[in-house]
Amino acid sequence: MTYKELKKTDEINTYIEQGNLVLGALGYTEHSRIHASKVASTAGKILKELGYDAHQIELAKMAGYLHDMGNSINREDHAHTGALMAFQLLREMKMDPADIAVIITAIGNHDEKTGAAVDPVSAAVILADKTDVRRNRVRNKIKATFDKHDRVNYAATSSSLEINPDKKLISLNIELDEQICSIMDYFEIFLQRMLMCRRAAEILGLKFRVTANGHKVG
């Protein structure tokens, strides 16, 4: 089983899109295959630029693509239910148990309420997931009814994640429209996520930095 094969699996894509529908009904931002693919590619990029082997890069991509599947059951505990779903699916696909173990660990630990980075794959998935901040994830079209997460994502006119292995640094660079959301508001809302990213970066031997509108803020 490869990442490319996984991404084309109808059953998996059905669960991801159902999770996206569930979250849409509850007023959450986009969690579709677009988000899944972005997390997968970013997680793979992080490990590739840090010199990890092709196999771990592939596992990070798989875990990144599957990480939000549990939302098809319920938003609460979606990391844990998603890990169990992935376990069953990958086992049926005859994947090596050692690889399944790495993937379900990453999925089960990606949520900031209950999880933490414990190895390079889980660290890469966390960093990729928590730094996917972008305007087009907002589904609510009425600005007057934006919740705090809508406001932060809509205010992000651009964002990029940069890895500098020589300086042992990973940086989230965001441009925020401060008429919509101030830098202070961003950190008030996403502080727990940013702390999770800091700990994930440490697992990879890196420091985590956030720059907003050209100002180093974390």
Side-chain angles (χ1 to χ4, degrees):
M1 173 61 64
T2 65
Y3 169 60
K4 286 184 178 180
E5 291 170 341
L6 190 79
K7 199 174 177 182
K8 292 177 182 177
T9 304
D10 288 339
E11 185 176 5
I12 286 169
N13 289 329
T14 298
Y15 299 143
I16 292 171
E17 289 302 340
Q18 179 64 19
N20 188 44
L21 287 171
V22 169
L23 295 188
L26 296 173
Y28 286 89
T29 52
E30 172 264 325
H31 284 72
S32 69
R33 281 183 286 168
I34 295 171
H35 172 64
S37 297
K38 183 169 175 56
V39 173
S41 63
T42 302
K45 176 187 173 184
I46 291 168
L47 294 190
K48 184 177 182 179
E49 294 198 19
L50 293 174
Y52 284 86
D53 64 51
H55 187 62
Q56 283 194 288
I57 293 167
E58 190 78 352
L59 294 179
K61 286 180 173 180
M62 290 183 183
Y65 193 71
L66 297 172
H67 79 284
D68 269 337
M69 195 165 47
N71 284 309
S72 62
I73 296 176
N74 196 294
R75 174 64 179 172
E76 289 300 315
D77 276 336
H78 75 283
H80 303 149
T81 53
L84 291 171
M85 290 172 72
F87 167 75
Q88 184 66 32
L89 288 163
L90 297 176
R91 196 178 185 198
E92 289 173 359
M93 294 173 184
K94 309 297 184 185
M95 182 177 279
D96 187 316
D99 291 342
I100 294 175
V102 172
I103 290 170
I104 62 175
T105 291
I107 296 170
N109 277 284
H110 85 271
D111 187 65
E112 63 267 23
K113 289 181 182 177
T114 58
V118 295
D119 59 23
V121 170
S122 61
V125 170
I126 285 167
L127 286 161
D129 180 36
K130 304 311 174 192
T131 58
D132 185 17
V133 182
R134 49 190 164 85
R135 176 168 286 189
N136 59 3
R137 290 193 71 190
V138 178
R139 292 190 272 197
N140 182 0
K141 304 303 179 187
I142 305 169
K143 291 182 185 178
T145 62
F146 277 1
D147 69 7
K148 58 187 181 180
H149 295 98
D150 288 336
R151 219 170 54 246
V152 166
N153 279 282
Y154 195 81
T157 56
S158 70
S159 65
S160 63
L161 191 66
E162 296 180 9
I163 304 102
N164 189 325
D166 294 333
K167 293 184 178 179
K168 297 191 179 301
L169 183 68
I170 185 164
S171 304
L172 173 62
N173 303 312
I174 307 175
E175 291 296 323
L176 288 173
D177 182 342
E178 293 195 65
Q179 292 185 333
I180 299 170
C181 173
S182 71
I183 294 172
M184 188 64 73
D185 285 341
Y186 173 84
F187 271 90
E188 180 184 356
I189 293 165
F190 280 169
L191 178 61
Q192 194 173 359
R193 295 183 187 185
M194 295 301 99
L195 290 173
M196 191 182 199
C197 285
R198 179 186 291 177
R199 296 184 186 110
E202 289 171 356
I203 289 286
L204 298 171
L206 304 172
K207 289 184 179 179
F208 179 69
R209 176 183 292 171
V210 181
T211 302
N213 295 351
H215 302 289
K216 179 184 170 183
V217 288

